[in-house]
Each structure stands twice: as C-alpha cells, then as structure tokens.
Amino acid sequence: MESAEQATRQRIAALLRRYWGFDSFRPVQERIILSVMQGRDTLALLPTGGGKSLTYQIPALAGEGLCIVVTPLVALMKDQVDRLRRQGIRALAIHSGLSARQIDIDLDNCVYGDVKFLYLAPERLVSEAFRLRVRRMRIALLAVDEAHCISQWGYDFRPSYLRIAELRELLPGVPVLALTASATPRVAEDIMEKLRFSAPHLLRGDFMRPNLSYSVRRTDDKNEQLLRVIRNVGGSGIVYVRTREGAEQVAAMLHDEGIAAGYYHGGLSHAERVARQDDWISGRTPVMVATNAFGMGIDKADVRYVVHYTMSDSLESYYQEAGRAGRDGGRSYALLLVAPDDRERVARRFEAEYPPLDRVRSIYEKICSFLQIALGDGAGSCHPFNLREFCSREHLYDGTVRSALKILSQNGYMTLIEESVNPARLLFCISRDDLYRLRVVRDDLDHIVRVLLRLYEGVFTDFRPIDEEEIARWSGYTTDKVRELLKRLWQLRVIRYIPANRSPLLCMDEERLPVADLYISPESYRLRRERTRERFERMLAYAAEEEGCRSAFLARHFGEENPPDCGICDICLARKRQGGTDPGTDPERLLLRLLAGGALEPRQIAAAMPLAPEKTAALLDRLRDEGKISVGKEGKVAINR
Ligand code: ADP
Ligand code: MG
C-alpha cells in the first residue's frame, strides 16, 4: 500500500515536470490529486492563484479517459484550452458562442477522438446534443470550477449549475472534483450536497497571505489617504471603485496630482480595455483605477497595493480583489477606505437593489418590450442586450435592474449572460422564396448565401449565431472576405447582420408571459434578500473591526478554525506599537508559513518578513542549524519535511 502511493506520487510529480516544468506541488495540491485518483468525491477550497487547475488536469493526464470541466466564463475557458493545447494536450471548449454544427463535430471528437479535456458552459449540460453523446464518452473525472455557483448561499449563484447533479446520474462511478476559492463553511456543505457527494470530503488550502498587510482607514478624505499610499508604497497598484463614473473621476484626480493612472471598466471597448491593461501590466501606467470588471484572469505578480475606495459587495469579493497584491511574495498592502457615512450608503444601496415584486414584474415587461418580444413568443431566443441603454431609456437604476434580472433568472424566466464575447449573428430579412427570386447578381454573394443556408437552420425566423471562420472553411474564402460579403448582403438588405461583439446577451428561458402569470416564489425572493444582507453585514463587520487581526478575520470567514494573527495588519501593528506581546507575530512561525507556500530566495524572504534583513538572515541560519529548513541547489530556501 505504502509503495503504491509512493509510485503514484512519483508518477504525478513526473507529469508536473513534463507538462508544466514545475519542481514540486504546493502543499494541498498533492493531497487533492491523490484524493481524486482514489476515486473520492472531493471539494477543494484554495485561494485564487492557488493552483486549482492542476488538481484536475494532473489526475486526468495520469489516467485513461476524458475529463469534463464545467466552468462559467467563456473567456477563461478559452484561455485554459489554449494553454493546454500549447502543452500538446487535446482540449476543447463548448459554449453558446459556437454553431450547432461545430458543437456536434466537437462532441463527436469527444466520443471517438482522443480528447482529454472538454470544457463546458453549464447551460450546455441540458442540450440534447450533449446528453445523447455523453453516455458514449469515456469519462474519468468531472471537474466543477467555481463550484460556489451551485449554492444559493454563495455570492454568485447560477441556476444552471444545479443541472450538474443530473449529469452525475448519467455518469455513475465517475468522481467529481469541485473547486472554489470562496466558500464559507455553509456554502461548502451546500456544494457537497448539491453535487451529491457520496461522502463529504473537503480539502482546504491556506488562506493566510503572510506577505499581505491588510488595513482599514476611516477618513473624511479618501483622496488624501489614497495619494499617501500611492506615494509611499510605490510600484504598481489597483484602486477599486464601485462605478464607472467613479473610476473616471478618481483617475482624473490622480492625473491632476501628477500620477500616471489609467481607468478600466465594462463600458470601454474591447480594444481600449486591452490597451489599458497592457499599459498597466508593463508598468507604463502604474496605477489602475477600476471597477470589479478588472482582474479576472490577469496574472501580474508584482502588484504592491490594492486600495478599495469603496466597499465590495461581499467579503469573498474583497478577499479576491485584495489578494491580487503580492503574488510574488513581496511585502504588499491591502487598504480599505471607509467614510463615516459609508454604512448608510451601503444600506441605501441594498434597499435600491431590492425592488418590490411589482417592480420586478414591471421590469420584466419593459425588457420584453425593449427587445420587441411579443406575448407568447421568444422561448429560447437570445438577444443582445445593452443594460445601460435600457436603464437610461427607462430611467431605472442599473442595480435595481440587475437585481430584478437575478430574481427573474432564478425563477426560470430570463437570463442575462454577461459574456465578453458574442458570436456574430444573422437573420435573413427576406423569405426563402424571395431569396430565390432575387437573383443575387454576383457569384461570390450567391455562393455565400448557399453556404449560409446549408450551415444554419432557422436563419429566416430568428437571429442565429454564426461562425465566420466556419463559413470561411466551408466556402473556401478567407474570413476577411466572408465578413466583407456579409456586410455587402447587409447593405443590399438581404440579411441583418450583427458582427461578433462583446455586449451581454439576454436569453428568454420561457416565452413572454402576461405579467399576471408571472410567478415569483416569495420564498426565493426573501432568501435572496436575506443572504445579500448577510453578505453586506460581513463586509461592514470587517470594516468596523478594531480588535482582532484582519487576516485571521478573513481566514475564519473561509472556515479556518484557529487562524494565527498575521502580525502585519494595521491592528496587529498597532498592538505591537502599544508594546503588547503577540504570539501571532512570532517570526519563526511567520517564516515557516511563508515557506509553506513553496521554496523562496532569501531576497524574497527578506522582503516579505516584517524584520530587518539581518535579523531575517540570523533567523534563517538558526532554522537551518536546527534542520527545519534547507537551501536547495538554486539557492532557494525550503522547509524540510
Ligand atoms: P487558481 O485556479 O487556483 O486561481 P491557477 O490554476 O490558475 O489558479 O494557477 C495559478 C498559477 O499558479 C498558474 O500560473 C500556475 O501555472 C501556477 N502554479 C500552479 N501550481 C504550481 C506549482 N505547483 N508550482 C508552481 N506554479 C504553480
Ligand atoms: Mg481557476
């Protein structure tokens, strides 16, 4: 038995080296992988950046068969697939942006080909095309990323995640690995229950960030505090604000103070966003003022500070956003700015986001009219939906509309998909007969019309997603030529054509109903309201905390039972200045905790420790003499196990 496990360890370590070039697993990673390989249903709770992807990728590579990965964001899905492909591993992603034909081809490849990873958007789970094929696939593992989305207690509940339980029924004996960075104990339990774990099994990573110093500052003048941090800390940083206008104003203020700051929010075009992101990553504009649209999937290690100019909606979001500082292990700062009237403001925001049920119904009607969906129509259709435009036309607050949409979605009426990429869409303006009568004058136009009709059904009744590359493949033209021809047909009023874009989509889960028939379960409404209130309250409690260590506060929130004090947050530091002794600041424990995250160079250690460099050096010497740590070939210091 011993030796079997030993052999497995060696095998997975070899895979890690071969495909990723890494020397060792992070502490919990290996335990998660071994658990999955024993066939146990497992919930892995690891902070963002903790290396969750490897924990399903390695077991899949170590065995036969295919790994299905359910994940909610198309952009991240594509990113993962590209990454695996570059490593020479066959991976596919299936989401609503693909044509039905492409999806069929891909699914067939999963049945007959040697595809190793199939990434799926949760709403695809219910599709007939998928359900028919999945039984014939040889599936080794079901991985559920962002697993908190399955829980109504979580901050990002998505009803489509509940379908995963049905998938489990189709796949008896296939273990599930659920992954998340944010689950309170209650959410964790709920995840295991909703995913029908055969037995609860949770493996938790370390949520303490020994090099990140948290603090909260109560102030009447947030700008002054912000400037102080930017000037004193230096390096790259992120300033989070709640609204788009806020982002622009704060960036302008920083500009006036002579600080190179950019802003980023969902209202910018894709090209602008990419450019601003690049400027920040390269360090040309060290400060990024952003809404929470910024950060997902961005890998910048040397962020020195994250300042929250306004509170996040939940402590989970706060932890994730603040945690973008200091990935390189160097000392970094997470500051929350609080104005005296913020509590009240949060309370008002909360009320505004909870429209009474009548209001929800009226918003439903307005959206249907805005999208020109007639009564009894629209089931299953998707429409590009500009929330801002809608709000300004109807004089509604966008928080209210979002909240109404969440409620409508949970009751199965309509779903807003805020994907960053939408496929091009197309609808013929003239009937099939007229089309044949209208002799399209140019051969190339004629050809493209034929290809369109062959590839896409239903283009005479509804906007259908099309794939310009697929059309290019079938027509033999280049993608550019295809786009040009589509534009031409559009000018000739033969088709209506929406080029690929990044606006959100609103999908009707049901036909449009008369408002009187709209049933919204009061229970779901009440629960949602309560849970949101609880989340706000936790965030406010963090902001109001004056006694206990901030890192420990956060760690407890994520279910750690007796987290030690960090010794470097504002509260620990204040206590230290008052001369109190603090067991949590014991430098040895701090150092070992730091190294638990992986081997580090002495220089990195010195930067992260709250000690003078020579004291850190002395401590390293002592621990080495005591045999607790050692220095490896490349000069990195590691814990002896
Ligand atoms: P998460 O999904 O938990 O946020 P990822 O799986 O995206 O994290 O991994 C974050 C980063 O950490 C990636 O760049 C990954 O290559 C790196 N990483 C993961 N595991 C290890 C390891 N054992 N050694 C070194 N780097 C790792
Ligand atoms: Mg991830």
Side-chain angles (χ1 to χ4, degrees):
M1 197 64 209
E2 255 322 275
S3 67
E5 182 169 316
Q6 209 57 35
T8 311
R9 282 178 189 223
Q10 282 172 7
R11 202 147 55 90
I12 60 177
L15 288 168
L16 182 68
R17 266 191 303 276
R18 176 168 149 214
Y19 286 104
W20 282 270
F22 299 145
D23 294 335
S24 58
F25 288 107
R26 291 175 178 156
V28 230
Q29 277 180 327
E30 192 178 51
R31 284 171 56 209
I32 298 168
I33 293 169
L34 292 173
S35 162
V36 170
M37 288 176 71
Q38 284 160 12
R40 293 180 75 174
D41 293 339
T42 307
L43 169 57
L45 180 48
L46 248 69
T48 304
K52 286 185 284 297
S53 324
L54 277 185
T55 62
Y56 61 83
Q57 288 165 345
I58 297 247
L61 289 170
E64 303 271 309
L66 169 92
C67 173
I68 293 187
V69 189
V70 179
T71 177
L73 293 168
V74 176
L76 295 189
M77 188 184 281
K78 286 184 173 160
D79 198 54
Q80 289 283 347
V81 167
D82 289 345
R83 220 173 267 196
L84 287 167
R85 286 185 182 163
R86 281 198 298 275
Q87 289 167 292
I89 300 165
R90 283 205 63 188
L92 288 173
I94 292 190
H95 49 82
S96 345
L98 300 173
S99 70
R101 178 175 307 264
Q102 190 59 46
I103 291 177
D104 280 343
I105 295 173
D106 286 347
L107 287 173
D108 281 339
N109 268 316
C110 292
V111 177
Y112 303 108
D114 55 349
V115 175
K116 206 63 209 171
F117 294 95
L118 170 61
Y119 284 79
L120 271 184
E123 63 275 8
R124 303 307 318 171
L125 292 171
V126 290
S127 83
E128 206 44 40
F130 176 71
R131 300 175 80 86
L132 282 175
R133 299 245 210 352
V134 72
R135 295 166 199 272
R136 313 216 307 272
M137 294 177 197
R138 181 158 171 215
I139 294 163
L141 174 63
L142 171 62
V144 180
D145 208 1
E146 312 293 344
H148 56 273
C149 293
I150 204 173
S151 171
Q152 306 207 34
W153 297 106
Y155 69 103
D156 191 14
F157 172 57
R158 292 166 191 248
S160 53
Y161 259 65
L162 292 170
R163 300 289 189 153
I164 302 173
E166 294 169 33
L167 177 62
R168 289 216 72 189
E169 264 159 32
L170 294 178
L171 305 173
V174 174
V176 64
L177 171 58
L179 305 142
T180 176
S182 50
T184 58
R186 181 155 61 179
V187 172
E189 249 171 59
D190 202 21
I191 291 173
M192 294 190 278
E193 191 194 314
K194 295 271 164 36
L195 285 176
R196 312 213 175 139
F197 272 41
S198 49
H201 185 46
L202 166 65
L203 293 172
R204 187 195 311 277
D206 189 351
F207 278 78
M208 298 286 273
R209 295 280 311 275
N211 62 318
L212 188 54
S213 162
Y214 294 98
S215 54
V216 173
R217 201 136 314 144
R218 275 171 279 277
T219 174
D220 280 322
D221 189 347
K222 291 185 176 181
N223 289 348
E224 184 203 326
Q225 294 294 333
L226 175 61
L227 285 165
R228 191 179 292 181
V229 174
I230 292 176
R231 292 194 171 123
N232 289 347
V233 177
S236 286
I238 308 175
V239 182
Y240 278 109
V241 295
R242 240 182 69 72
T243 62
R244 296 173 178 184
E245 294 75 18
E248 296 179 14
Q249 281 159 13
V250 173
M253 182 280 291
L254 292 175
H255 250 279
D256 292 344
E257 293 289 334
I259 291 166
Y263 64 83
Y264 185 106
H265 55 60
L268 299 173
S269 74
H270 176 59
E272 268 175 315
R273 277 188 281 175
V274 170
R276 278 155 203 248
Q277 192 171 305
D278 285 349
D279 282 346
W280 179 74
I281 286 175
S282 69
R284 276 192 296 278
T285 42
V287 186
M288 182 68 103
V289 188
T291 62
N292 62 6
F294 182 69
M296 267 266 205
I298 288 172
D299 232 355
K300 181 170 169 68
D302 61 347
V303 179
R304 291 279 68 86
Y305 55 92
V306 171
V307 178
H308 277 76
Y309 199 90
T310 43
M311 262 180 254
S312 306
D313 290 341
S314 67
L315 218 43
E316 283 94 328
S317 308
Y318 180 74
Y319 177 85
Q320 284 208 357
E321 288 156 9
R324 299 199 167 110
R327 292 268 174 82
D328 58 359
R331 173 58 76 86
S332 335
Y333 300 85
L335 171 65
L336 171 64
L337 297 174
V338 185
D341 59 350
D342 273 0
R343 173 171 256 285
E344 234 171 87
R345 210 179 299 204
V346 166
R348 251 180 294 145
R349 188 163 100 209
F350 174 78
E351 288 307 324
E353 287 185 8
Y354 270 87
L357 287 179
D358 281 352
R359 200 74 187 286
V360 175
R361 292 199 183 91
S362 102
I363 289 174
Y364 173 85
E365 280 224 288
K366 289 187 165 133
I367 291 177
C368 289
S369 307
F370 182 76
L371 297 174
Q372 302 185 334
I373 299 166
L375 272 178
D377 268 0
S381 63
C382 290
H383 313 260
F385 180 65
N386 186 331
L387 187 84
R388 291 232 132 193
E389 195 186 316
F390 172 73
C391 291
S392 78
R393 190 180 305 175
E394 299 291 340
H395 306 290
L396 288 163
Y397 166 58
D398 89 344
T400 313
V401 175
R402 274 175 198 283
S403 199
L405 276 167
K406 280 261 164 74
I407 294 163
L408 289 166
S409 145
Q410 276 161 29
N411 285 277
Y413 293 114
M414 51 172 64
T415 311
L416 181 68
I417 303 178
E418 296 204 69
E419 285 304 353
S420 46
V421 270
N422 289 317
R425 279 164 198 276
L426 179 136
L427 168 69
F428 273 87
C429 310
I430 55 180
S431 74
R432 198 181 272 271
D433 294 340
D434 287 343
L435 186 66
Y436 288 126
R437 236 173 285 139
L438 171 115
R439 306 241 345 232
V440 181
V441 274
R442 274 164 49 179
D443 283 351
D444 49 0
L445 289 175
D446 199 52
H447 180 50
I448 212 85
V449 166
R450 280 171 203 285
V451 171
L452 288 174
L453 295 179
R454 192 168 341 126
L455 285 177
Y456 305 110
E457 296 201 5
V459 277
F460 287 100
T461 49
D462 260 321
F463 270 109
R464 291 288 146 135
I466 57 167
D467 178 348
E468 290 144 341
E469 280 170 33
E470 186 183 30
I471 300 171
R473 267 199 309 282
W474 284 77
S475 63
Y477 296 145
T478 64
T479 320
D480 281 341
K481 169 93 178 168
V482 168
R483 291 207 181 101
E484 181 209 311
L485 291 172
L486 291 175
K487 289 223 173 88
R488 187 78 199 116
L489 284 172
W490 178 56
Q491 285 158 352
L492 291 170
R493 296 176 199 274
V494 175
I495 60 170
R496 281 171 69 192
Y497 167 55
I498 306 172
N501 65 49
R502 302 197 157 236
S503 95
L505 279 185
L506 196 131
C507 295
M508 296 290 288
D509 302 322
E510 284 251 17
E511 63 189 47
R512 175 176 179 183
L513 298 171
V515 268
D517 292 356
L518 210 61
Y519 176 74
I520 290 162
S521 123
E523 182 68 356
S524 80
Y525 179 79
R526 195 181 53 77
L527 280 179
R528 210 183 122 64
R529 190 181 157 98
E530 258 166 41
R531 281 160 199 166
T532 309
R533 185 192 292 282
E534 278 168 25
R535 283 197 294 273
F536 274 129
E537 291 295 339
R538 292 297 291 165
M539 184 72 227
L540 288 167
Y542 173 85
E545 178 68 42
E546 285 177 350
E547 302 276 302
C549 165
R550 297 208 189 274
S551 295
F553 190 104
L554 290 166
R556 266 194 305 276
H557 181 71
F558 289 109
E560 240 167 83
E561 294 202 349
N562 283 308
D565 288 354
C566 70
I568 56 172
C569 68
D570 54 351
I571 292 177
C572 286
L573 289 175
R575 198 182 303 146
K576 221 187 282 182
R577 272 196 300 276
Q578 286 165 4
T581 51
D582 179 356
T585 62
D586 172 28
E588 174 174 338
R589 272 174 72 184
L590 216 57
L591 185 95
L592 292 176
R593 188 169 265 283
L594 193 64
L595 291 175
L600 291 173
E601 290 169 18
R603 191 174 43 85
Q604 294 171 307
I605 298 172
M609 290 289 290
L611 292 179
E614 60 282 1
K615 289 217 167 126
T616 305
L619 176 62
L620 285 171
D621 283 344
R622 174 167 70 77
L623 293 177
R624 189 155 61 160
D625 291 345
E626 292 171 2
K628 290 182 178 158
I629 58 172
S630 54
V631 181
K633 283 193 294 291
E634 314 91 44
K636 285 193 174 177
V637 182
I639 298 185
N640 291 334
R641 289 178 201 281

